[in-house]
Amino acid sequence: MTVEIKRRSPLTFSETPLKTEVRDYWTVVQEYEAENDGPWVIDLSHRSRWDLQDSDLANVQPAGALIPDAPGHCAFDNGVLINRMNRTQASIWHLAGAPPELPADAACTETTDATLFLALIGRNIFAIAEKLTALDFKDPAKTVPFLYQGPFSHVPCQIVTLERTTGSGGILLTCSRGYGRDMGHAILAAGDEFGLRPAGENTFLRWIEALSA
Amino acid sequence: MALTLTCPVCGKRNGYEFRYGGEEKGPRPDEADLTPQAWCEYVHMNKCVAGIQKEWWCHKDGCGVWFTTHRNTTCNLEVDTPEAQS
């Protein structure tokens, strides 16, 4: 008997997908109809994520990269984002490129199927975020990329600011997958006046490639 | 003014992100020779200070850490150094 495995994103947009791909049992939308020129909300829930815990994180090097020293600091290299959460814990998000090699000796838990993972990129995304959270993404004391652990639309989230320029930027957020549908609804409603549209993974990959260049 | 609290991991945040965990009552009493009355005193009885008291808080909407801080209960403001404010 053949067992058919399907992995589903906690969030589905009502817009019509133009191009999709089945990857690791996920149906990944690569492009939507009428994506326009942003801002965009992009569902990246199929992208691999891990939670890493160790009493001595200074000596752990996931994907060959050092984990940042201080909570709230992030390291982005070779398409892998590492976020220091506290003294003993970090989250690892695979954004682009080849999947990372993870340390075998540290406690590493895959959280891909447990959480929603969204990207908000383009013009006015901080104006949209301002309607949903009191967190200050433009705090001059912080340098990008940086991590906030706090409420977004009243939901506890991990939020990383990857880019912030005048009038434009990009943030990534994860939260428990049970909030997926409502989180998508709240973000699209808040972004309606700014022309926020769902976009496919290709738009995100182009954006992250330009950011890394 | 709304309460803000300083999380040891995330820094100063809106008080609505936190959950109150009660007064700081010191270490758990030694179980040897512990009477039910003494245990009841430790668990249930509070000082309810009108002024500065040391309290437990949890950053429930953020990093989830439990920590202690001082708060002036008469004005509902966090106090950096209790000695300076008393």
Side-chain angles (χ1 to χ4, degrees):
Chain A
M1 192 178 82
T2 310
V3 178
E4 189 185 6
I5 300 172
K6 276 196 175 180
R7 298 168 89 184
R8 292 181 192 277
S9 169
L11 174 62
T12 309
F13 295 119
S14 58
E15 276 71 5
T16 310
L18 207 60
K19 203 187 291 181
T20 60
E21 177 189 275
V22 176
R23 191 190 312 154
D24 293 337
Y25 308 110
W26 297 91
T27 302
V28 180
V29 179
Q30 293 176 304
E31 191 180 339
Y32 280 96
E33 271 184 359
E35 288 189 359
N36 299 339
D37 57 350
W40 298 289
V41 56
I42 301 168
D43 181 13
L44 299 172
S45 299
H46 59 280
R47 288 258 154 209
S48 298
R49 301 178 294 288
W50 296 269
D51 179 84
L52 190 149
Q53 296 193 37
D54 197 281
S55 59
D56 187 16
L57 284 181
N59 289 322
V60 180
Q61 294 192 7
L66 285 173
I67 296 173
D69 289 336
H73 290 202
C74 304
F76 179 53
D77 195 25
N78 287 328
V80 177
L81 183 67
I82 304 173
N83 315 310
R84 182 68 178 255
M85 295 163 64
N86 53 45
R87 189 176 60 81
T88 58
Q89 200 174 7
S91 57
I92 304 169
W93 299 348
H94 176 225
L95 304 183
E101 282 184 30
L102 296 171
D105 49 346
C108 228
T109 308
E110 182 168 1
T111 57
T112 311
D113 295 80
T115 55
L116 169 76
F117 188 24
L118 291 179
L120 279 168
I121 58 174
R123 289 176 286 109
N124 293 321
I125 61 120
F126 295 114
I128 297 168
E130 197 175 67
K131 294 172 72 177
L132 296 166
T133 180
L135 298 170
D136 183 9
F137 296 103
K138 298 222 170 168
D139 184 351
K142 295 183 182 296
T143 53
V144 291
F146 62 87
L147 169 75
Y148 273 134
Q149 297 174 88
F152 195 92
S153 190
H154 303 283
V155 173
C157 291
Q158 286 186 35
I159 311 165
V160 172
T161 305
L162 268 183
E163 187 204 19
R164 55 176 182 188
T165 53
T166 309
S168 184
I171 60 174
L172 307 173
L173 69 92
T174 66
C175 67
S176 292
R177 70 173 283 140
Y179 294 107
R181 189 189 59 177
D182 296 337
M183 185 63 93
H185 177 80
I187 291 172
L188 284 170
D192 189 42
E193 64 176 301
F194 300 97
L196 183 73
R197 301 273 304 170
E201 189 190 40
N202 287 351
T203 301
F204 177 75
L205 292 176
R206 280 195 298 273
W207 180 81
I208 204 86
E209 194 178 336
L211 189 68
S212 309
Chain B
M1 182 183 170
L3 174 67
T4 59
L5 291 167
T6 308
C7 168
V9 173
C10 302
K12 202 174 183 69
R13 290 286 186 85
N14 189 323
Y16 288 110
E17 294 181 23
F18 298 85
R19 180 208 159 174
Y20 181 61
E23 295 176 6
E24 157 62 13
K25 299 176 182 177
R28 183 188 173 107
D30 192 352
E31 289 186 13
D33 303 323
L34 180 65
T35 62
Q37 188 180 0
W39 177 244
C40 188
E41 288 274 328
Y42 177 76
V43 173
H44 298 294
M45 302 308 286
N46 293 295
K47 290 181 179 167
C48 300
V49 172
I52 294 166
Q53 71 175 6
K54 194 174 184 183
E55 302 169 336
W56 282 97
W57 287 85
C58 173
H59 195 188
K60 68 175 172 65
D61 283 356
C63 61
V65 73
W66 279 95
F67 62 98
T68 55
T69 188
H70 292 86
R71 181 177 64 101
N72 188 331
T73 60
T74 58
C75 57
N76 197 26
L77 289 176
E78 188 181 28
V79 178
D80 288 337
T81 51
E83 293 78 13
Q85 300 288 318
S86 57

